[in-house]
Amino acid sequence: EMEPIAAELEAAAAAIQSADEAAFKAYLTAAAKAFRDNSWQAADEAWAAMSVKNSKWYLRIGPDETYWEPCNQRAGFHASFARINTGSLEWQNKLDPLKEDMENALAALAGKPYKARKVSFHLPDFLDIIVNAGDSRSPSGATIGQSLPNWGPVANEGRGRTVVMVNLYTDADSNGALRAQAASLLCAPTMGLFSDDPSAQVMSTVLHEAAHNLGPAHEYKANGKTDDESFGGPMAATMEELKAQTAALYFTDWLVEKGVIDAERAAKTHVRDLIWAFGHISRGMYTSTGDPKPYSQLASIQLGHFMQEKVISWKADQKAANGEDTGCFEVDVNAYAPSAKKLMATVAGIKARGDKKGAEALKAQFVDAKDELPKLRDVIAERMLRSPKATFVYTLGL
């Protein structure tokens, strides 16, 4: 199975004659070798050497994510091929000077024994997806951001690549469905802050993916153990994604303090992130075989926390913004910043200490809860699932 893939990669490398694509050619050659001899770390080095500044193309092919495996240990094989979108340069110019400040801020919230480190990761490149294949091609939906690799020297030393897929969910049908879903769940004042402008979600995805490279991540060891060893694979996956998405919420307001964005943009991003969370909650907390769904569980933990903090309130007798559904969520955006900071400190601290009991307590309180939260998750699921999940057909005009 490996040999035909290696041959195709070598043929692609041989077809590149332009000196401008030397970095892409080197990665194709290294990836071909890895498919033959398992030298994925060498392929990672060639891949990390590519950037928006030395290639017009993006390819990632090989074993990476572990979502498809029950114990979250064995990686699935995938291929994502895309055209680089130079719009990423705007965010790279904004955040590059702040990377070390972001690491210091997260380290301060995490507390001992974690210590801030020198970070050197690449800020997200923006991609226009051409094709997803293998375990990157889902029957419905698609990944909108990734930070890779997950293991090895490139990951450990903060030299990996982070990407955001910016040409997904931007079509008129997707925007219309999203607006209808939001209007069925949000109260009218909060709906006034909803925006279907993709830039709101893009900023959050940039911050989420950047956060995978900040603070205690997969290879960080607490008491001599990685997060997989401390928490177990499934819980480790959930906690890392919870850290990243909570960091996206926390850093949104942090950027307001730094003068990078204004408060209105932050408020609209928070509301858009809430709809993102509703989408994952609607898919349930566990698979049909009882395996946890990391994104769904992190979304439920965030919703439960913000409701406990009175940042998000359920108005049972109030009409939703669509004027049809009874019962809606109201958001106090002015209360978001301190509450997001509080959750960030909790989550980062759990990861910093390898605190399995703390992680299990969060899950017990907000995922496996027996109070009002599961009933509200049922309401969210019913309204979100009125719109079918998109199946993507990729096309890109050059």
PDB file of all heavy atoms in Angstrom, residues 99-133:
ATOM      1  N   LYS A  99       3.807  36.532  20.084  1.00  0.00           N
ATOM      2  CA  LYS A  99       3.834  35.099  20.419  1.00  0.00           C
ATOM      3  C   LYS A  99       4.406  34.837  21.809  1.00  0.00           C
ATOM      4  O   LYS A  99       3.840  34.056  22.582  1.00  0.00           O
ATOM      5  CB  LYS A  99       4.628  34.318  19.362  1.00  0.00           C
ATOM      6  CG  LYS A  99       3.923  34.154  18.038  1.00  0.00           C
ATOM      7  CD  LYS A  99       4.616  33.176  17.132  1.00  0.00           C
ATOM      8  CE  LYS A  99       5.983  33.619  16.715  1.00  0.00           C
ATOM      9  NZ  LYS A  99       6.556  32.771  15.637  1.00  0.00           N
ATOM     10  N   GLU A 100       5.514  35.474  22.123  1.00  0.00           N
ATOM     11  CA  GLU A 100       6.131  35.228  23.429  1.00  0.00           C
ATOM     12  C   GLU A 100       5.256  35.785  24.555  1.00  0.00           C
ATOM     13  O   GLU A 100       5.157  35.187  25.629  1.00  0.00           O
ATOM     14  CB  GLU A 100       7.530  35.842  23.475  1.00  0.00           C
ATOM     15  CG  GLU A 100       8.459  35.174  24.482  1.00  0.00           C
ATOM     16  CD  GLU A 100       8.697  33.697  24.179  1.00  0.00           C
ATOM     17  OE1 GLU A 100       8.930  33.340  23.003  1.00  0.00           O
ATOM     18  OE2 GLU A 100       8.643  32.895  25.144  1.00  0.00           O
ATOM     19  N   ASP A 101       4.593  36.917  24.305  1.00  0.00           N
ATOM     20  CA  ASP A 101       3.668  37.465  25.297  1.00  0.00           C
ATOM     21  C   ASP A 101       2.498  36.517  25.529  1.00  0.00           C
ATOM     22  O   ASP A 101       2.018  36.367  26.665  1.00  0.00           O
ATOM     23  CB  ASP A 101       3.138  38.824  24.832  1.00  0.00           C
ATOM     24  CG  ASP A 101       4.191  39.918  24.878  1.00  0.00           C
ATOM     25  OD1 ASP A 101       5.216  39.724  25.560  1.00  0.00           O
ATOM     26  OD2 ASP A 101       3.990  40.964  24.225  1.00  0.00           O
ATOM     27  N   MET A 102       2.027  35.882  24.461  1.00  0.00           N
ATOM     28  CA  MET A 102       0.921  34.926  24.588  1.00  0.00           C
ATOM     29  C   MET A 102       1.355  33.722  25.421  1.00  0.00           C
ATOM     30  O   MET A 102       0.617  33.240  26.281  1.00  0.00           O
ATOM     31  CB  MET A 102       0.453  34.493  23.195  1.00  0.00           C
ATOM     32  CG  MET A 102      -0.192  35.611  22.388  1.00  0.00           C
ATOM     33  SD  MET A 102      -0.471  35.188  20.644  1.00  0.00           S
ATOM     34  CE  MET A 102      -1.923  34.134  20.810  1.00  0.00           C
ATOM     35  N   GLU A 103       2.567  33.242  25.183  1.00  0.00           N
ATOM     36  CA  GLU A 103       3.097  32.120  25.961  1.00  0.00           C
ATOM     37  C   GLU A 103       3.225  32.504  27.432  1.00  0.00           C
ATOM     38  O   GLU A 103       2.843  31.739  28.328  1.00  0.00           O
ATOM     39  CB  GLU A 103       4.452  31.689  25.407  1.00  0.00           C
ATOM     40  CG  GLU A 103       5.270  30.764  26.306  1.00  0.00           C
ATOM     41  CD  GLU A 103       4.676  29.378  26.510  1.00  0.00           C
ATOM     42  OE1 GLU A 103       3.690  29.038  25.817  1.00  0.00           O
ATOM     43  OE2 GLU A 103       5.198  28.624  27.352  1.00  0.00           O
ATOM     44  N   ASN A 104       3.734  33.708  27.693  1.00  0.00           N
ATOM     45  CA  ASN A 104       3.893  34.154  29.081  1.00  0.00           C
ATOM     46  C   ASN A 104       2.543  34.289  29.781  1.00  0.00           C
ATOM     47  O   ASN A 104       2.397  33.943  30.961  1.00  0.00           O
ATOM     48  CB  ASN A 104       4.635  35.483  29.119  1.00  0.00           C
ATOM     49  CG  ASN A 104       6.102  35.352  28.725  1.00  0.00           C
ATOM     50  OD1 ASN A 104       6.690  34.280  28.866  1.00  0.00           O
ATOM     51  ND2 ASN A 104       6.683  36.417  28.216  1.00  0.00           N
ATOM     52  N   ALA A 105       1.544  34.788  29.051  1.00  0.00           N
ATOM     53  CA  ALA A 105       0.212  34.955  29.639  1.00  0.00           C
ATOM     54  C   ALA A 105      -0.394  33.602  29.993  1.00  0.00           C
ATOM     55  O   ALA A 105      -0.988  33.432  31.075  1.00  0.00           O
ATOM     56  CB  ALA A 105      -0.694  35.709  28.670  1.00  0.00           C
ATOM     57  N   LEU A 106      -0.239  32.623  29.092  1.00  0.00           N
ATOM     58  CA  LEU A 106      -0.799  31.300  29.350  1.00  0.00           C
ATOM     59  C   LEU A 106      -0.048  30.600  30.482  1.00  0.00           C
ATOM     60  O   LEU A 106      -0.648  29.915  31.320  1.00  0.00           O
ATOM     61  CB  LEU A 106      -0.755  30.459  28.070  1.00  0.00           C
ATOM     62  CG  LEU A 106      -1.879  29.448  27.874  1.00  0.00           C
ATOM     63  CD1 LEU A 106      -3.235  30.120  27.961  1.00  0.00           C
ATOM     64  CD2 LEU A 106      -1.733  28.762  26.510  1.00  0.00           C
ATOM     65  N   ALA A 107       1.265  30.780  30.521  1.00  0.00           N
ATOM     66  CA  ALA A 107       2.074  30.173  31.586  1.00  0.00           C
ATOM     67  C   ALA A 107       1.687  30.733  32.950  1.00  0.00           C
ATOM     68  O   ALA A 107       1.622  29.997  33.941  1.00  0.00           O
ATOM     69  CB  ALA A 107       3.555  30.409  31.320  1.00  0.00           C
ATOM     70  N   ALA A 108       1.409  32.026  33.018  1.00  0.00           N
ATOM     71  CA  ALA A 108       1.026  32.642  34.286  1.00  0.00           C
ATOM     72  C   ALA A 108      -0.302  32.081  34.784  1.00  0.00           C
ATOM     73  O   ALA A 108      -0.473  31.857  35.989  1.00  0.00           O
ATOM     74  CB  ALA A 108       0.925  34.155  34.114  1.00  0.00           C
ATOM     75  N   LEU A 109      -1.230  31.826  33.855  1.00  0.00           N
ATOM     76  CA  LEU A 109      -2.519  31.251  34.246  1.00  0.00           C
ATOM     77  C   LEU A 109      -2.375  29.780  34.622  1.00  0.00           C
ATOM     78  O   LEU A 109      -3.061  29.302  35.526  1.00  0.00           O
ATOM     79  CB  LEU A 109      -3.524  31.401  33.101  1.00  0.00           C
ATOM     80  CG  LEU A 109      -3.968  32.837  32.786  1.00  0.00           C
ATOM     81  CD1 LEU A 109      -4.904  32.849  31.585  1.00  0.00           C
ATOM     82  CD2 LEU A 109      -4.667  33.465  33.983  1.00  0.00           C
ATOM     83  N   ALA A 110      -1.485  29.056  33.939  1.00  0.00           N
ATOM     84  CA  ALA A 110      -1.290  27.630  34.229  1.00  0.00           C
ATOM     85  C   ALA A 110      -0.691  27.421  35.609  1.00  0.00           C
ATOM     86  O   ALA A 110      -1.062  26.511  36.342  1.00  0.00           O
ATOM     87  CB  ALA A 110      -0.406  26.992  33.161  1.00  0.00           C
ATOM     88  N   GLY A 111       0.252  28.271  35.972  1.00  0.00           N
ATOM     89  CA  GLY A 111       0.886  28.152  37.280  1.00  0.00           C
ATOM     90  C   GLY A 111       1.888  27.006  37.346  1.00  0.00           C
ATOM     91  O   GLY A 111       2.148  26.311  36.361  1.00  0.00           O
ATOM     92  N   LYS A 112       2.439  26.804  38.521  1.00  0.00           N
ATOM     93  CA  LYS A 112       3.453  25.773  38.728  1.00  0.00           C
ATOM     94  C   LYS A 112       2.853  24.384  38.518  1.00  0.00           C
ATOM     95  O   LYS A 112       1.680  24.171  38.800  1.00  0.00           O
ATOM     96  CB  LYS A 112       4.043  25.898  40.134  1.00  0.00           C
ATOM     97  CG  LYS A 112       4.802  27.187  40.370  1.00  0.00           C
ATOM     98  CD  LYS A 112       5.343  27.242  41.791  1.00  0.00           C
ATOM     99  CE  LYS A 112       6.124  28.539  42.024  1.00  0.00           C
ATOM    100  NZ  LYS A 112       6.666  28.623  43.398  1.00  0.00           N
ATOM    101  N   PRO A 113       3.675  23.456  38.008  1.00  0.00           N
ATOM    102  CA  PRO A 113       5.115  23.541  37.750  1.00  0.00           C
ATOM    103  C   PRO A 113       5.467  24.015  36.337  1.00  0.00           C
ATOM    104  O   PRO A 113       6.632  24.013  35.953  1.00  0.00           O
ATOM    105  CB  PRO A 113       5.569  22.082  37.933  1.00  0.00           C
ATOM    106  CG  PRO A 113       4.398  21.290  37.447  1.00  0.00           C
ATOM    107  CD  PRO A 113       3.178  22.067  37.873  1.00  0.00           C
ATOM    108  N   TYR A 114       4.448  24.422  35.541  1.00  0.00           N
ATOM    109  CA  TYR A 114       4.746  24.843  34.175  1.00  0.00           C
ATOM    110  C   TYR A 114       5.533  26.152  34.175  1.00  0.00           C
ATOM    111  O   TYR A 114       5.243  27.058  34.957  1.00  0.00           O
ATOM    112  CB  TYR A 114       3.463  25.016  33.356  1.00  0.00           C
ATOM    113  CG  TYR A 114       3.751  25.336  31.906  1.00  0.00           C
ATOM    114  CD1 TYR A 114       4.155  24.335  31.033  1.00  0.00           C
ATOM    115  CD2 TYR A 114       3.662  26.641  31.441  1.00  0.00           C
ATOM    116  CE1 TYR A 114       4.455  24.636  29.714  1.00  0.00           C
ATOM    117  CE2 TYR A 114       3.950  26.943  30.116  1.00  0.00           C
ATOM    118  CZ  TYR A 114       4.352  25.942  29.265  1.00  0.00           C
ATOM    119  OH  TYR A 114       4.657  26.232  27.949  1.00  0.00           O
ATOM    120  N   LYS A 115       6.512  26.223  33.293  1.00  0.00           N
ATOM    121  CA  LYS A 115       7.304  27.443  33.125  1.00  0.00           C
ATOM    122  C   LYS A 115       7.232  27.892  31.669  1.00  0.00           C
ATOM    123  O   LYS A 115       7.286  27.071  30.754  1.00  0.00           O
ATOM    124  CB  LYS A 115       8.765  27.198  33.521  1.00  0.00           C
ATOM    125  CG  LYS A 115       8.959  26.874  34.994  1.00  0.00           C
ATOM    126  CD  LYS A 115      10.432  26.647  35.306  1.00  0.00           C
ATOM    127  CE  LYS A 115      10.634  26.317  36.783  1.00  0.00           C
ATOM    128  NZ  LYS A 115      12.080  26.072  37.091  1.00  0.00           N
ATOM    129  N   ALA A 116       7.101  29.201  31.478  1.00  0.00           N
ATOM    130  CA  ALA A 116       7.070  29.739  30.125  1.00  0.00           C
ATOM    131  C   ALA A 116       8.341  29.348  29.387  1.00  0.00           C
ATOM    132  O   ALA A 116       9.422  29.283  29.970  1.00  0.00           O
ATOM    133  CB  ALA A 116       6.928  31.259  30.169  1.00  0.00           C
ATOM    134  N   ARG A 117       8.196  29.063  28.107  1.00  0.00           N
ATOM    135  CA  ARG A 117       9.337  28.650  27.296  1.00  0.00           C
ATOM    136  C   ARG A 117       9.447  29.550  26.076  1.00  0.00           C
ATOM    137  O   ARG A 117       8.530  30.312  25.762  1.00  0.00           O
ATOM    138  CB  ARG A 117       9.182  27.185  26.859  1.00  0.00           C
ATOM    139  CG  ARG A 117       7.882  26.931  26.133  1.00  0.00           C
ATOM    140  CD  ARG A 117       7.547  25.442  26.045  1.00  0.00           C
ATOM    141  NE  ARG A 117       6.173  25.248  25.617  1.00  0.00           N
ATOM    142  CZ  ARG A 117       5.770  25.235  24.350  1.00  0.00           C
ATOM    143  NH1 ARG A 117       6.652  25.411  23.386  1.00  0.00           N
ATOM    144  NH2 ARG A 117       4.503  25.055  24.044  1.00  0.00           N
ATOM    145  N   LYS A 118      10.563  29.470  25.397  1.00  0.00           N
ATOM    146  CA  LYS A 118      10.749  30.200  24.159  1.00  0.00           C
ATOM    147  C   LYS A 118       9.950  29.499  23.075  1.00  0.00           C
ATOM    148  O   LYS A 118      10.118  28.297  22.853  1.00  0.00           O
ATOM    149  CB  LYS A 118      12.232  30.226  23.782  1.00  0.00           C
ATOM    150  CG  LYS A 118      12.541  30.994  22.507  1.00  0.00           C
ATOM    151  CD  LYS A 118      12.384  32.492  22.698  1.00  0.00           C
ATOM    152  CE  LYS A 118      12.822  33.254  21.456  1.00  0.00           C
ATOM    153  NZ  LYS A 118      12.575  34.708  21.591  1.00  0.00           N
ATOM    154  N   VAL A 119       9.036  30.207  22.437  1.00  0.00           N
ATOM    155  CA  VAL A 119       8.206  29.595  21.397  1.00  0.00           C
ATOM    156  C   VAL A 119       8.614  30.137  20.039  1.00  0.00           C
ATOM    157  O   VAL A 119       8.933  31.319  19.895  1.00  0.00           O
ATOM    158  CB  VAL A 119       6.701  29.843  21.646  1.00  0.00           C
ATOM    159  CG1 VAL A 119       6.229  29.088  22.871  1.00  0.00           C
ATOM    160  CG2 VAL A 119       6.396  31.326  21.788  1.00  0.00           C
ATOM    161  N   SER A 120       8.593  29.249  19.042  1.00  0.00           N
ATOM    162  CA  SER A 120       9.057  29.642  17.706  1.00  0.00           C
ATOM    163  C   SER A 120       8.171  29.072  16.605  1.00  0.00           C
ATOM    164  O   SER A 120       8.602  28.926  15.478  1.00  0.00           O
ATOM    165  CB  SER A 120      10.496  29.168  17.495  1.00  0.00           C
ATOM    166  OG  SER A 120      10.588  27.753  17.668  1.00  0.00           O
ATOM    167  N   PHE A 121       6.932  28.744  16.943  1.00  0.00           N
ATOM    168  CA  PHE A 121       6.044  28.133  15.965  1.00  0.00           C
ATOM    169  C   PHE A 121       5.639  29.139  14.885  1.00  0.00           C
ATOM    170  O   PHE A 121       5.685  30.354  15.085  1.00  0.00           O
ATOM    171  CB  PHE A 121       4.792  27.585  16.659  1.00  0.00           C
ATOM    172  CG  PHE A 121       3.939  28.633  17.319  1.00  0.00           C
ATOM    173  CD1 PHE A 121       2.889  29.235  16.648  1.00  0.00           C
ATOM    174  CD2 PHE A 121       4.189  29.018  18.633  1.00  0.00           C
ATOM    175  CE1 PHE A 121       2.105  30.206  17.270  1.00  0.00           C
ATOM    176  CE2 PHE A 121       3.411  29.977  19.256  1.00  0.00           C
ATOM    177  CZ  PHE A 121       2.369  30.579  18.569  1.00  0.00           C
ATOM    178  N   HIS A 122       5.236  28.596  13.741  1.00  0.00           N
ATOM    179  CA  HIS A 122       4.719  29.425  12.661  1.00  0.00           C
ATOM    180  C   HIS A 122       3.264  29.773  12.960  1.00  0.00           C
ATOM    181  O   HIS A 122       2.470  28.897  13.292  1.00  0.00           O
ATOM    182  CB  HIS A 122       4.777  28.685  11.329  1.00  0.00           C
ATOM    183  CG  HIS A 122       6.159  28.304  10.901  1.00  0.00           C
ATOM    184  ND1 HIS A 122       7.124  29.246  10.619  1.00  0.00           N
ATOM    185  CD2 HIS A 122       6.735  27.101  10.688  1.00  0.00           C
ATOM    186  CE1 HIS A 122       8.242  28.620  10.259  1.00  0.00           C
ATOM    187  NE2 HIS A 122       8.030  27.325  10.305  1.00  0.00           N
ATOM    188  N   LEU A 123       2.915  31.025  12.838  1.00  0.00           N
ATOM    189  CA  LEU A 123       1.515  31.404  12.940  1.00  0.00           C
ATOM    190  C   LEU A 123       0.759  30.893  11.717  1.00  0.00           C
ATOM    191  O   LEU A 123       1.364  30.589  10.690  1.00  0.00           O
ATOM    192  CB  LEU A 123       1.389  32.919  13.075  1.00  0.00           C
ATOM    193  CG  LEU A 123       1.687  33.399  14.496  1.00  0.00           C
ATOM    194  CD1 LEU A 123       2.053  34.863  14.518  1.00  0.00           C
ATOM    195  CD2 LEU A 123       0.502  33.124  15.412  1.00  0.00           C
ATOM    196  N   PRO A 124      -0.559  30.759  11.817  1.00  0.00           N
ATOM    197  CA  PRO A 124      -1.304  30.032  10.784  1.00  0.00           C
ATOM    198  C   PRO A 124      -1.143  30.571   9.369  1.00  0.00           C
ATOM    199  O   PRO A 124      -1.192  31.782   9.135  1.00  0.00           O
ATOM    200  CB  PRO A 124      -2.759  30.170  11.246  1.00  0.00           C
ATOM    201  CG  PRO A 124      -2.668  30.329  12.731  1.00  0.00           C
ATOM    202  CD  PRO A 124      -1.426  31.135  12.942  1.00  0.00           C
ATOM    203  N   ASP A 125      -0.933  29.636   8.455  1.00  0.00           N
ATOM    204  CA  ASP A 125      -1.068  29.919   7.035  1.00  0.00           C
ATOM    205  C   ASP A 125      -2.530  29.720   6.663  1.00  0.00           C
ATOM    206  O   ASP A 125      -3.192  28.819   7.186  1.00  0.00           O
ATOM    207  CB  ASP A 125      -0.209  28.962   6.195  1.00  0.00           C
ATOM    208  CG  ASP A 125       1.277  29.195   6.377  1.00  0.00           C
ATOM    209  OD1 ASP A 125       1.669  30.334   6.710  1.00  0.00           O
ATOM    210  OD2 ASP A 125       2.056  28.244   6.194  1.00  0.00           O
ATOM    211  N   PHE A 126      -3.053  30.542   5.768  1.00  0.00           N
ATOM    212  CA  PHE A 126      -4.420  30.384   5.280  1.00  0.00           C
ATOM    213  C   PHE A 126      -4.395  29.533   4.016  1.00  0.00           C
ATOM    214  O   PHE A 126      -3.534  29.712   3.156  1.00  0.00           O
ATOM    215  CB  PHE A 126      -5.050  31.737   4.970  1.00  0.00           C
ATOM    216  CG  PHE A 126      -5.416  32.544   6.189  1.00  0.00           C
ATOM    217  CD1 PHE A 126      -5.117  32.108   7.471  1.00  0.00           C
ATOM    218  CD2 PHE A 126      -6.070  33.757   6.052  1.00  0.00           C
ATOM    219  CE1 PHE A 126      -5.462  32.851   8.592  1.00  0.00           C
ATOM    220  CE2 PHE A 126      -6.410  34.512   7.160  1.00  0.00           C
ATOM    221  CZ  PHE A 126      -6.110  34.067   8.426  1.00  0.00           C
ATOM    222  N   LEU A 127      -5.350  28.627   3.921  1.00  0.00           N
ATOM    223  CA  LEU A 127      -5.389  27.688   2.795  1.00  0.00           C
ATOM    224  C   LEU A 127      -6.725  27.752   2.080  1.00  0.00           C
ATOM    225  O   LEU A 127      -7.771  27.881   2.714  1.00  0.00           O
ATOM    226  CB  LEU A 127      -5.187  26.248   3.290  1.00  0.00           C
ATOM    227  CG  LEU A 127      -3.971  25.922   4.142  1.00  0.00           C
ATOM    228  CD1 LEU A 127      -3.989  24.443   4.505  1.00  0.00           C
ATOM    229  CD2 LEU A 127      -2.685  26.296   3.431  1.00  0.00           C
ATOM    230  N   ASP A 128      -6.678  27.631   0.761  1.00  0.00           N
ATOM    231  CA  ASP A 128      -7.859  27.345  -0.046  1.00  0.00           C
ATOM    232  C   ASP A 128      -7.756  25.877  -0.439  1.00  0.00           C
ATOM    233  O   ASP A 128      -6.923  25.497  -1.269  1.00  0.00           O
ATOM    234  CB  ASP A 128      -7.908  28.231  -1.290  1.00  0.00           C
ATOM    235  CG  ASP A 128      -8.210  29.684  -0.959  1.00  0.00           C
ATOM    236  OD1 ASP A 128      -9.051  29.903  -0.077  1.00  0.00           O
ATOM    237  OD2 ASP A 128      -7.625  30.587  -1.573  1.00  0.00           O
ATOM    238  N   ILE A 129      -8.580  25.045   0.204  1.00  0.00           N
ATOM    239  CA  ILE A 129      -8.499  23.598  -0.004  1.00  0.00           C
ATOM    240  C   ILE A 129      -8.873  23.234  -1.436  1.00  0.00           C
ATOM    241  O   ILE A 129      -9.868  23.712  -1.986  1.00  0.00           O
ATOM    242  CB  ILE A 129      -9.417  22.857   0.982  1.00  0.00           C
ATOM    243  CG1 ILE A 129      -8.876  22.980   2.412  1.00  0.00           C
ATOM    244  CG2 ILE A 129      -9.575  21.385   0.610  1.00  0.00           C
ATOM    245  CD1 ILE A 129      -7.580  22.234   2.659  1.00  0.00           C
ATOM    246  N   ILE A 130      -8.066  22.377  -2.043  1.00  0.00           N
ATOM    247  CA  ILE A 130      -8.350  21.828  -3.367  1.00  0.00           C
ATOM    248  C   ILE A 130      -8.923  20.425  -3.230  1.00  0.00           C
ATOM    249  O   ILE A 130      -9.924  20.081  -3.852  1.00  0.00           O
ATOM    250  CB  ILE A 130      -7.069  21.797  -4.238  1.00  0.00           C
ATOM    251  CG1 ILE A 130      -6.542  23.225  -4.432  1.00  0.00           C
ATOM    252  CG2 ILE A 130      -7.333  21.122  -5.580  1.00  0.00           C
ATOM    253  CD1 ILE A 130      -5.176  23.286  -5.080  1.00  0.00           C
ATOM    254  N   VAL A 131      -8.284  19.601  -2.383  1.00  0.00           N
ATOM    255  CA  VAL A 131      -8.804  18.255  -2.165  1.00  0.00           C
ATOM    256  C   VAL A 131      -8.377  17.750  -0.793  1.00  0.00           C
ATOM    257  O   VAL A 131      -7.260  18.022  -0.341  1.00  0.00           O
ATOM    258  CB  VAL A 131      -8.332  17.280  -3.269  1.00  0.00           C
ATOM    259  CG1 VAL A 131      -6.823  17.107  -3.244  1.00  0.00           C
ATOM    260  CG2 VAL A 131      -9.029  15.933  -3.152  1.00  0.00           C
ATOM    261  N   ASN A 132      -9.288  17.086  -0.120  1.00  0.00           N
ATOM    262  CA  ASN A 132      -8.985  16.325   1.082  1.00  0.00           C
ATOM    263  C   ASN A 132      -9.182  14.854   0.754  1.00  0.00           C
ATOM    264  O   ASN A 132     -10.156  14.493   0.092  1.00  0.00           O
ATOM    265  CB  ASN A 132      -9.916  16.705   2.240  1.00  0.00           C
ATOM    266  CG  ASN A 132      -9.478  17.989   2.932  1.00  0.00           C
ATOM    267  OD1 ASN A 132      -8.292  18.267   3.023  1.00  0.00           O
ATOM    268  ND2 ASN A 132     -10.429  18.760   3.422  1.00  0.00           N
ATOM    269  N   ALA A 133      -8.277  14.016   1.225  1.00  0.00           N
ATOM    270  CA  ALA A 133      -8.364  12.592   0.913  1.00  0.00           C
ATOM    271  C   ALA A 133      -7.984  11.769   2.129  1.00  0.00           C
ATOM    272  O   ALA A 133      -7.434  12.286   3.106  1.00  0.00           O
ATOM    273  CB  ALA A 133      -7.456  12.244  -0.274  1.00  0.00           C
TER     274      ALA A 133
END
